[in-house]
Amino acid sequence: MKLPFNEQTLVRDIVNIFPKSSDLFKKNRIDFCCGGSIPLADAAAEKAVSLESLMAELEDLYSRNVNSAEDMEFWTETPSAALVDHIQVQYHRTLEEELALLSPYVTKVARVHGENHPELVRMHGLFYELKKELLEHTAKEEAEVFPALLSLDDPAAENRETILMEIKELEKEHDHAGSILKELRDVTSDFTPPMDACGTYRLVYKRLEMLEAHTFMHVHLENNILFPRYFADITV
């Protein structure tokens, strides 16, 4: 089966074409959101990943999912207002719920096991830094930035450059959240619990990894699909 992308396709564009590829990129620690604007071959080289093996895995994954029910049109063709609504419902609301539910587990694991596993103390601090960052970020998006962005669909909209500068600031905040997630992955040894980890300890690591995947796709939808629509003909 011929793939609709190759080694020179940008990582972010591969995810646009085939969203399921994000699972494979995550496994190989290839950034497809903030750092996705480079060819796949370069991204693989940066992470010392075999390009031949990666392409083979992508081909296998694609062949197994090409006939799935996933709506590919949604990602790139849906009007901006509907896409913003999807981001808020499927990512912001889900994020708020997961952060609230996960917080007591993170605190408990750090308190109970932190003496023998000091990396958990750092994990605890990073999680709460990320939580504060993401909740403030999504609140600002919904209250201020998304409504302003959608106003640009009117060619006569005022303050266009000011609004686009606010979008650039959002992208910087995405970068900061990404850096926290990278440090969380490092401090937890790729979310791999030690042999003596209890069930709650293992649950926290698994849910942190799921939070990472959720956040990466959230950022991807904004950075690589929504925001570029408004920068196509403007240099800020």
Side-chain angles (χ1 to χ4, degrees):
M1 178 178 293
K2 183 175 175 58
L3 292 173
F5 47 83
N6 58 44
E7 296 91 339
Q8 294 307 312
T9 306
L10 300 185
V11 172
R12 71 179 186 187
D13 291 341
I14 294 175
V15 177
N16 285 347
I17 296 166
F18 178 40
K20 189 68 174 175
S21 64
S22 63
D23 294 338
L24 188 56
F25 292 145
K26 183 169 69 72
K27 185 184 79 172
N28 287 282
R29 304 188 71 179
I30 292 174
D31 184 357
F32 62 84
C33 53
C34 301
S37 301
I38 62 174
L40 179 62
D42 294 348
E46 283 186 1
K47 295 298 183 181
V49 172
S50 165
L51 182 59
E52 181 178 354
S53 297
L54 183 59
M55 288 301 296
E57 288 188 85
L58 280 168
E59 184 172 3
D60 177 64
L61 190 64
Y62 185 78
S63 67
R64 289 188 282 111
N65 289 273
V66 69
N67 294 319
S68 72
E70 189 167 32
D71 183 9
M72 303 302 291
E73 182 180 357
F74 171 80
W75 298 89
T76 55
E77 301 300 329
T78 296
S80 295
L83 179 55
V84 165
D85 183 66
H86 175 77
I87 290 170
Q88 292 178 159
V89 172
Q90 298 298 326
Y91 289 88
H92 289 189
R93 300 290 83 77
T94 303
L95 176 67
E96 290 164 358
E97 180 180 33
E98 177 61 9
L99 288 172
L101 292 172
L102 184 53
S103 294
Y105 291 110
V106 170
T107 298
K108 179 180 179 180
V109 166
R111 184 181 70 248
V112 174
H113 300 285
E115 184 175 353
N116 292 328
H117 296 280
E119 69 276 7
L120 293 176
V121 177
R122 181 58 181 155
M123 179 270 293
H124 179 274
L126 288 168
F127 172 79
Y128 279 96
E129 180 183 356
L130 180 68
K131 179 179 179 179
K132 180 176 185 293
E133 172 83 11
L134 291 176
L135 291 179
E136 291 179 353
H137 176 84
T138 54
K140 181 172 70 175
E141 284 186 335
E142 294 192 15
E144 303 171 14
V145 184
F146 281 167
L149 182 69
L150 293 176
S151 76
L152 299 182
D153 289 337
D154 179 356
E158 299 180 355
N159 302 320
R160 182 172 296 267
E161 290 198 4
T162 299
I163 294 169
L164 293 178
M165 289 301 294
E166 291 177 354
I167 298 303
K168 288 296 184 184
E169 288 303 311
L170 284 184
E171 291 178 338
K172 291 178 183 178
E173 291 176 11
H174 288 164
D175 289 343
H176 183 231
S179 69
I180 298 172
L181 285 166
K182 288 177 182 176
E183 190 171 352
L184 264 173
R185 179 169 279 276
D186 287 340
V187 80
T188 59
S189 301
D190 292 328
F191 304 111
T192 304
M195 293 295 293
D196 64 342
C198 67
T200 302
Y201 197 149
R202 293 177 184 278
L203 174 66
V204 165
Y205 273 32
K206 180 62 177 176
R207 288 176 68 165
L208 284 174
E209 187 170 23
M210 292 170 66
L211 176 64
E212 178 194 65
H214 184 271
T215 304
F216 280 176
M217 188 56 70
H218 176 186
V219 171
H220 175 71
L221 282 171
E222 295 182 9
N223 276 18
N224 299 333
I225 296 179
L226 178 63
F227 297 163
R229 297 175 180 183
Y230 298 91
F231 287 97
D233 301 313
I234 298 176
T235 300
V236 178

